[in-house]
Amino acid sequence: MKHTFEEALDIFHYPFFKLLRTAHEVHVQNFDEQSVQISDILSVKTGGCSEDCAYCAQSARNGVKMPKQPLLDLETVLEAARKAKERGASRFCMSASGRCLSSGAEFEKICEMVKSVKALGLETCVTLGFLTEAQAAQLKKSGLDYYNHNVDTSPEFYSQIVSTRTIDDRIKTIEIVQKAGINVCSGGIVGMGETNEDRIKMLVLLANLEIPPRCVPLNKLVKISGTRVDDSNPIDDFDFVRMIALARILMPTSYVKIAAGRNTLSESTQALSIFAGANALFSSEKLLTVDNIKDNADGKLFDKLNLSIENPRL
Ligand code: SAM
Ligand code: SF4
């Protein structure tokens, strides 16, 4: 069923407690409300990117001084994946900076990483920019479970955030990934100067894809000095919870993930978000280039909320 912007706008503006109740009901119909899925993420290739994404420290076009890190070797990646598993992660994500990876030695090494991480008993995810059909097929053969490719914002606001590609280019890659039989992880960033209408339009776009993403990460912008959006207004906490609730209602069977910026949300806002349907988190201390959760803060929060961690679905 296709969703309309008007329907989604109406839901987003429900009285707050009605919205929470509606979203929570959808959540318990489709998932165990006491369980969260945990991922860890590692930047396997960092910086020097030719794209001009306004939020990103890794774009060579932004004024951020970030040392370039070429592709990590397999043993370093496996060491990080083992630690992730010890911390309770069921999925390990590997991220490479860049518009795309050309087929060749680097791509082969990524496939090797996917195979080896999977052999540790973890679900695998990579995010490498654009993909060809042949690359998607090779990743699937290597055991890839998820491909992350965020649409980032609404179609209307997109050109203010990225000019080196279009949102339709992103959707094409999502379709290539799905055709290869790989789950898609796709969401966006909030707090870059977009309106609530833009945020709602982004969720409607994701929900209306032929196959909605299996996982929908919502990143709260981590402001990086030198980027083009480093002075934008942060999203209000209640609007953030409303977004989570709307994502849950529009995409009942997708995992809704609180991704970057979680360390700026209070425990209470995280608890409200989880009640509203968020059921996936990143546990790593770093998310690519920025800080995430420290000192076992999640363990303490999970105890307070009686949450358990989901096992890998291999
Ligand atoms: N180059 C690949 C791509 O663009 O798909 C993968 C790496 S990219 C860094 C992965 C995602 O991280 C982006 O799509 C974006 O949503 C998120 N991200 C990057 N910088 C961020 C920031 N400063 N705050 C919040 N999320 C951010
Ligand atoms: Fe490059 Fe990805 Fe960062 Fe955009 S988000 S600048 S494509 S690394």
Side-chain angles (χ1 to χ4, degrees):
M1 183 188 70
K2 292 278 178 213
H3 298 282
T4 65
F5 169 70
E6 289 70 26
E7 169 206 351
L9 183 70
D10 182 48
I11 296 171
F12 185 86
H13 288 297
Y14 275 178
F16 189 67
F17 294 123
K18 174 179 172 183
L19 177 61
L20 285 192
R21 176 171 47 78
T22 311
H24 190 71
E25 274 166 14
V26 173
H27 187 52
V28 295
Q29 278 160 18
N30 293 284
F31 288 98
D32 172 2
E33 65 181 318
Q34 295 306 140
S35 166
V36 283
Q37 187 276 324
I38 302 293
S39 301
D40 236 56
I41 187 166
L42 176 70
S43 183
V44 297
K45 182 184 178 192
T46 311
C49 181
S50 60
E51 300 285 270
D52 72 348
C53 309
Y55 49 80
C56 186
Q58 305 197 57
S59 167
R61 300 176 191 230
N62 286 333
V64 184
K65 293 215 174 354
M66 155 142 311
K68 266 173 79 169
Q69 163 71 61
L71 194 65
L72 295 177
D73 61 74
L74 181 61
E75 200 33 58
T76 307
V77 174
L78 287 180
E79 187 55 35
R82 282 186 206 105
K83 283 197 181 135
K85 198 172 174 197
E86 279 165 25
R87 268 200 294 267
S90 58
R91 189 178 312 149
F92 190 69
C93 308
M94 294 158 271
S95 165
S97 62
R99 181 177 168 82
C100 58
L101 272 188
S102 44
S103 294
E106 277 198 337
F107 190 77
E108 297 297 328
K109 279 188 192 165
I110 296 269
C111 292
E112 207 44 53
M113 289 174 191
V114 170
K115 265 187 216 150
S116 309
V117 170
K118 181 108 179 169
L120 296 177
L122 285 159
E123 294 174 347
T124 53
C125 175
V126 295
T127 177
L128 315 169
F130 294 128
L131 274 191
T132 64
E133 284 186 17
Q135 286 177 322
Q138 199 177 334
L139 285 169
K140 173 73 184 171
K141 226 172 120 194
S142 308
L144 187 68
D145 298 298
Y146 283 79
Y147 193 83
N148 165 268
H149 203 60
N150 293 333
V151 295
D152 280 343
T153 191
S154 69
E156 290 77 0
F157 193 62
Y158 199 81
S159 62
Q160 294 196 44
I161 297 301
V162 191
S163 77
T164 44
R165 58 175 186 250
T166 65
I167 200 164
D168 287 342
D169 295 332
R170 292 296 262 192
I171 292 167
K172 258 181 231 147
T173 294
I174 288 174
E175 287 168 354
I176 286 174
V177 169
Q178 289 177 331
K179 217 171 119 194
I182 300 166
N183 291 302
V184 161
C185 169
S186 184
I189 311 183
V190 291
M192 302 188 293
E194 76 290 335
T195 60
N196 274 337
E197 282 70 24
D198 286 308
R199 296 165 186 158
I200 295 165
K201 282 177 183 163
M202 177 184 85
L203 292 179
V204 170
L205 175 131
L206 291 168
N208 284 344
L209 290 174
E210 207 170 304
I211 309 169
R214 181 76 179 123
C215 175
V216 180
L218 297 176
N219 295 282
K220 196 178 155 197
L221 176 73
V222 179
K223 289 188 184 178
I224 294 160
S225 169
T227 59
R228 301 201 304 285
V229 286
D230 64 2
D231 62 350
S232 50
N233 288 330
I235 185 171
D236 174 82
D237 280 357
F238 289 97
D239 284 345
F240 186 82
V241 177
R242 281 180 186 275
M243 261 202 95
I244 297 272
L246 180 62
R248 167 55 60 230
I249 292 166
L250 294 182
M251 292 171 273
T253 58
S254 303
Y255 284 82
V256 176
K257 182 183 277 189
I258 315 175
R262 188 160 63 89
N263 54 352
T264 66
L265 297 176
S266 66
E267 284 192 334
S268 320
T269 305
Q270 290 183 56
L272 276 180
S273 302
I274 292 168
F275 185 80
N279 59 348
L281 304 169
F282 279 119
S283 64
S284 23
E285 292 202 346
K286 271 208 160 295
L287 289 184
L288 306 181
T289 63
V290 297
D291 287 341
N292 189 37
I293 298 299
K294 296 243 182 288
D295 301 330
N296 191 30
D298 278 344
K300 291 175 195 148
L301 179 62
F302 295 172
D303 283 348
K304 287 181 201 178
L305 302 178
N306 314 101
L307 291 176
S308 59
I309 296 177
E310 187 179 290
N311 290 322
R313 297 184 169 207
L314 294 170

